[in-house]
Amino acid sequence: MPHPSRLALPADFRWGVATAAYQIEGATGEDGRGASVWDTFTAKPGTVRDGHTGEVACDHYHRWPEDIALMRELGIDAYRFSVAWPRIQPTGTGPVNKAGLDFYDRLVDGLLAVGITPTPTLFHWDLPQALEDRGGWLERDTARCFAEYAGVVAARLGDRVGTWITLNEPFVHMVFGYALGSHAPGRSLMLDALPVAHHQLLGHGLAAAVLREHGGRVMISNNCTPVRAASEDPADLVAAEAYDALHNRLFNDPLLLGSYPDLSAFGVDRDLGGAVREGDLDLIAAPLDGLGVNYYNPTRIAAPTAPGLPFEEAPIEGVPRTAFGWPVVPDGLRELLTGLGRRYGAALPPITITENGCSVEDEVLNGAVDDRARIDYLAGHVAAVEAAVAEGVDVRGYFTWSLMDNFEWAEGFSQRFGLVHVDFETQQRTPKASYAWYRNLIADQRARHGR
Ligand code: PNW
């Protein structure tokens, strides 16, 4: 499928790719890195498919020059990666590991040398195990530690990093990590996990203030989904409303409006189980330079058929599915973006799509990977961004998830999201058809705008 040919995106629209530390780096025991919750979790039998771990992953910790070369050839403007907190502070607070900072220092310099803007995320789920041992994100003090860590990283890299992303998808981390237990740290607290939402957002707010002192711009990446009711039945509409509050508004409202949404459908007060203290929301709602939106698919919600939660997920029929089984609905991204514009109005900062992509069951045939399903997915979603921009939503950039196949959390290496194929036996990187497609898209954009 050809890429959209009449893109009406602004001249300074930024194109990028995204990764995360635990998913690509490997070298988990090197240069003084401390243990993270993902090291502990993956060591437990039965947690991750096929017993895979991130111990080696893409060996990016050693192969980063090759990976930067792939990005340079791709022609991207910016690279979103994450900094592994346990490399910087092996016990989460206090002593700083210089070798860990040195790694990201080299990476940042390597990116800048080829004209790629480093866009680090400070927390992409790899909490130092030492902090988890004290309660992890259930504990308010973890927010303070996060700001301390943010200050350490900014002091070292802040002269070369302009924009920081504090957290990646606090919703997914809370739900999978603390409510359902399918991700690290593997706790199954259901609604008792809600303080994790507040403590992460408080960590964001405290860190944001520190990053600003270092002259940084601040964003956060939220996983957002447009929520559709399964029918016009009032019970389905009420259920959809409840799900939207939990997935989207619980994380966007405090940042953009300074208040938590009504969660009474969950039997929860606005203080999230007593976690919210006076002044917290002012910190959390400090103006953002941008909102990072990670989009994969819409969600269809029906009234519950069993006691427990006030909603039930309903299947989306009649659309293609990714290898993961996720429905492919590009227009959901347009719907999401215009919906954010309507809900938050002037309070909505410029948006960057900080993740969008899909897993494809691809294989190397004669040295090539023909992942046309990914090209279709990306082309459709870029067109949806264009449509949202045409409808007046301020979107400044788009990062594909992901540069290369990597450790897909509970799915191990079975789900491949990369523009670049990785052979996890040999570490050989093979650009896929989608890599060439994305390179051409970026080159065309640049030519169109004469930059
Ligand atoms: C995101 N869901 O996670 C993460 O930011 C990435 O690290 C991850 O590799 C990528 O998306 C692909 O999964 C998600 O079930 C995990 O809705 C699960 C969901 C959404 C995002």
Side-chain angles (χ1 to χ4, degrees):
M1 179 169 167
H3 56 72
S5 54
R6 299 179 55 78
L7 287 178
L9 296 170
D12 56 358
F13 193 87
R14 316 281 290 167
W15 299 95
V17 294
T19 64
Y22 190 75
Q23 296 182 271
I24 65 166
E25 286 179 359
T28 51
E30 275 179 58
D31 290 346
R33 177 185 177 280
S36 82
V37 292
W38 273 95
D39 300 292
T40 311
F41 186 74
T42 55
K44 263 185 241 143
T47 51
V48 173
R49 182 192 287 234
D50 301 325
H52 290 162
T53 79
E55 239 176 296
V56 178
C58 306
D59 194 32
H60 171 77
Y61 191 76
H62 300 114
R63 293 169 196 263
W64 61 270
E66 181 184 352
D67 295 334
I68 289 182
L70 283 163
M71 290 188 253
R72 175 191 203 168
E73 180 62 26
L74 188 53
I76 53 172
D77 299 298
Y79 172 44
R80 174 176 180 240
F81 59 96
S82 82
V83 177
W85 187 347
R87 285 198 194 282
I88 308 302
Q89 288 177 293
T91 53
T93 178
V96 172
N97 176 37
K98 185 175 169 299
L101 282 169
D102 291 345
F103 170 70
Y104 297 105
D105 198 272
R106 292 193 291 276
L107 182 67
V108 162
D109 281 347
L111 290 164
L112 290 172
V114 298
I116 297 175
T117 305
T119 312
T121 301
L122 288 168
F123 180 69
H124 201 125
W125 307 349
D126 46 358
L127 191 77
Q129 181 61 39
L131 292 184
E132 177 58 25
D133 295 341
R134 305 188 196 170
W137 287 110
L138 289 163
E139 199 51 56
R140 186 178 172 93
D141 193 52
T142 297
R144 182 195 60 79
C145 295
F146 179 66
E148 178 191 319
Y149 150 69
V152 170
V153 180
R156 181 69 184 268
L157 304 181
D159 57 336
R160 285 154 292 154
V161 168
T163 301
W164 302 89
I165 297 170
T166 54
L167 308 176
N168 178 69
E169 300 186 350
F171 169 77
V172 175
H173 189 53
M174 173 185 81
V175 170
F176 289 176
Y178 289 84
L180 303 176
S182 53
H183 281 186
R187 307 196 56 170
S188 308
L189 300 170
M190 296 309 288
L191 289 170
D192 289 338
L194 278 167
V196 169
H198 183 64
H199 294 148
Q200 287 184 91
L201 288 168
L202 180 62
H204 157 83
L206 293 167
V210 172
L211 294 167
R212 285 197 193 294
E213 283 167 23
H214 288 272
R217 290 183 294 274
V218 179
M219 309 209 313
I220 181 171
S221 289
N222 274 342
N223 180 280
C224 302
T225 183
V227 179
R228 301 163 170 185
S231 80
E232 290 301 305
D233 187 316
D236 287 347
L237 294 171
V238 167
E241 189 67 20
Y243 188 78
D244 185 43
L246 184 72
H247 190 133
N248 298 307
R249 302 201 312 260
L250 176 58
F251 295 89
N252 288 329
D253 282 12
L255 291 163
L256 304 177
L257 304 178
S259 59
Y260 280 109
D262 177 8
L263 294 173
S264 54
F266 295 87
V268 170
D269 288 338
R270 276 182 204 256
D271 70 353
L272 304 188
V276 183
R277 297 195 191 161
E278 206 179 319
D280 288 359
L281 281 159
D282 294 333
L283 262 168
I284 293 168
L288 286 168
D289 296 290
L291 177 67
V293 168
N294 294 0
Y295 171 78
Y296 289 91
N297 50 253
T299 307
R300 199 161 155 254
I301 293 293
T305 54
L309 294 168
F311 67 86
E312 204 169 276
E313 205 169 332
I316 295 176
E317 317 274 11
V319 300
R321 291 189 172 267
T322 72
F324 221 138
W326 296 357
V328 178
V329 187
D331 194 57
L333 180 53
R334 186 198 57 80
E335 181 185 337
L336 170 68
L337 293 169
T338 55
L340 286 170
R342 270 194 306 277
R343 176 164 180 82
Y344 297 106
L348 185 67
I351 289 175
T352 296
I353 307 300
T354 41
E355 282 181 31
N356 176 242
C358 64
S359 63
V360 175
E361 274 165 39
D362 51 25
E363 49 180 342
V364 184
L365 277 179
N366 306 320
V369 180
D370 181 7
D371 59 339
R372 65 189 70 191
R374 175 169 292 105
I375 298 176
D376 288 350
Y377 182 100
L378 296 177
H381 287 77
V382 168
V385 172
E386 180 196 17
V389 169
E391 289 183 49
V393 187
D394 185 0
V395 187
R396 302 284 175 92
Y398 174 91
F399 290 74
T400 294
W401 183 270
S402 177
L403 168 65
M404 56 189 161
D405 297 339
N406 57 49
F407 177 78
E408 178 52 32
W409 309 115
E411 300 299 319
F413 297 102
S414 69
Q415 296 296 332
R416 294 178 174 273
F417 277 84
L419 299 177
V420 175
H421 181 275
V422 177
D423 179 325
F424 293 104
E425 300 292 319
T426 63
Q427 291 298 341
Q428 164 129 9
R429 276 92 162 120
T430 306
K432 304 179 189 179
S434 58
Y435 173 99
W437 174 86
Y438 198 46
R439 184 183 57 207
N440 290 340
L441 169 74
I442 296 169
D444 284 2
Q445 281 291 304
R446 211 164 266 151
R448 177 181 317 263
H449 295 294
R451 64 178 181 105

